[in-house]
Amino acid sequence: MGLEVKKLNLGFECEGQFNQALFNVSFSLKKGQIHALVGESGCGKTISAMSILRLLPKTARVTSGEILFEGEDLLQRKNMESVRGAKIALIPQDPMTSLNPLYTIENQLLEVIKKHQGLEDEQALDVAMRALDAVHIPPDRMKSYPHEFSGGMKQRAIIAMALSAGAQVLIADEPTTALDVTIQAQIMKLLHEIKHDTAILLITHDLALVGENADFVSVMYGGRVVESAPVREFFKNTAHPYSQGLLNSLPSCSSLEPIEGQPPTIYEEISGCRFHPRCKKRMDICSEQNPRMYKLSDEHFCACLLYN
Ligand code: SF4
């Protein structure tokens, strides 16, 4: 059981113009795996993930593609209520914005469980206690309000809500960005503990986090997936010049080599490879030909003309 995004094309209507933001984006999420979606801000990670939940701005328009889940294309579904929060849940960057400060954690958990699982009070309470136990929150903290929880506990309470609703897919959008380093480690450990029952999409720009925690990685640039591979293969044989640039930009004891220039906005039309204005390995053909995904090994793909 998992989820597959297939050749998703999406753009935004702006003052009578259509600006494309996602180009043939494809990736799949598998139960038992953490799949990291990596790239600089504005590369299309979050909008790809929000397309899965169909939580898109009014100006967004999907022009083609499929999002397959439980044998159905989510883009064709009339109503997402029974999917959103219940089968596919979002773990946001800042948990405080997702918890209601006026209600206790117990109230909020029970509301989710009753709505999505249709259980009565006693059974719902039992599910809530098990969900809190799974995220290492003692049951006696159930009656606390969100402001009485630390940042890490709030994030764990959100994860408990997703688990108690029975979510099969978790979309974790930079889930540790707002937390300090020790708490980050706790949340990632927790995602590992629960991944055997779920498929997890981890959106991040932090390659160190990916190396330590993900099973599979897809790198996005300018609205395209430019490289995808199992995480070990990715770090051993990083193929795309953009992925190599991201790795060289990691702080280390030796040199720090940032990628020159800025990622493209959706208003810029770039012919050929969208990375060519910033690529140190560009060839004459790169500004004319748009690279397709080349297969480098069983599960390793790269959109770069160097592998043509
Ligand atoms: Fe660089 Fe050309 Fe490969 Fe694009 S296709 S990443 S410009 S070498």
Side-chain angles (χ1 to χ4, degrees), residues 175-237:
T176 58
T177 304
L179 306 173
D180 69 47
V181 182
T182 48
I183 308 295
Q184 276 182 17
Q186 284 176 17
I187 296 296
M188 291 315 304
K189 186 166 173 272
L190 180 58
L191 290 182
H192 270 285
E193 285 171 17
I194 61 174
K195 76 173 183 181
H196 56 89
D197 281 331
T198 48
I200 299 177
L201 178 65
L202 173 67
I203 299 171
T204 182
H205 56 263
D206 185 344
L207 275 177
L209 198 77
V210 172
E212 282 165 19
N213 298 288
D215 300 289
F216 204 91
V217 58
S218 293
V219 179
M220 288 192 77
Y221 182 80
R224 287 203 168 102
V225 175
V226 295
E227 183 164 4
S228 60
V231 87
R232 279 194 190 176
E233 164 71 9
F234 175 78
F235 282 97
K236 200 165 148 208
N237 296 313

Side-chain angles (χ1 to χ4, degrees), residues 226 239-242 272-287 289-291 294 302-307:
V226 295
H240 197 280
Y242 175 62
C273 169
R274 286 176 71 73
F275 186 54
H276 86 260
R278 303 173 75 191
C279 182
K280 287 184 179 166
K281 295 185 178 169
R282 72 176 161 259
M283 306 169 284
D284 289 344
I285 195 174
C286 297
S287 56
Q289 193 175 322
N290 185 9
Y294 296 100
C302 178
C304 171
L305 294 166
L306 291 170
Y307 305 95

Side-chain angles (χ1 to χ4, degrees), residues 28-199:
S28 52
L29 310 179
K30 294 184 182 140
K31 187 173 167 180
Q33 269 196 355
I34 297 181
H35 187 133
L37 206 51
V38 183
E40 290 162 290
S41 299
C43 69
K45 309 182 294 284
T46 297
I47 206 75
S48 300
M50 291 303 132
S51 305
I52 295 174
L53 289 164
R54 303 238 317 262
L55 288 174
L56 294 168
K58 279 200 180 121
T59 52
R61 183 155 58 84
V62 174
T63 50
S64 63
E66 290 176 311
I67 298 177
L68 302 174
F69 178 66
E70 293 186 329
E72 148 176 55
D73 182 3
L74 292 181
L75 294 173
Q76 304 304 326
R77 257 187 97 94
K78 286 214 169 71
N79 190 337
M80 284 290 289
E81 275 218 351
S82 58
V83 175
R84 228 182 256 146
K87 294 180 175 174
I88 306 177
L90 178 69
I91 302 169
Q93 206 174 95
D94 182 0
M96 196 58 215
T97 55
S98 302
L99 291 167
N100 189 328
L102 301 177
Y103 293 95
T104 62
I105 297 297
E106 178 180 5
N107 287 146
Q108 299 186 55
L109 263 172
L110 291 180
E111 187 186 346
V112 169
I113 296 164
K114 286 179 186 172
K115 179 171 167 49
H116 293 302
Q117 299 213 27
L119 298 177
E120 295 303 322
D121 288 352
E122 206 173 310
Q123 288 169 306
L125 192 62
D126 190 45
V127 173
M129 287 180 58
R130 275 190 276 130
L132 283 182
D133 185 50
V135 299
H136 311 301
I137 295 179
D140 60 347
R141 297 302 308 273
M142 240 179 157
K143 304 253 181 241
S144 305
Y145 286 87
H147 73 269
E148 295 173 293
F149 273 20
S150 66
M153 280 178 89
K154 285 187 202 111
Q155 196 61 294
R156 282 188 273 147
I158 298 269
I159 295 172
M161 277 181 204
L163 294 179
S164 58
Q168 294 150 33
V169 175
L170 290 183
I171 298 175
D173 188 3
E174 310 255 6
T176 58
T177 304
L179 306 173
D180 69 47
V181 182
T182 48
I183 308 295
Q184 276 182 17
Q186 284 176 17
I187 296 296
M188 291 315 304
K189 186 166 173 272
L190 180 58
L191 290 182
H192 270 285
E193 285 171 17
I194 61 174
K195 76 173 183 181
H196 56 89
D197 281 331
T198 48

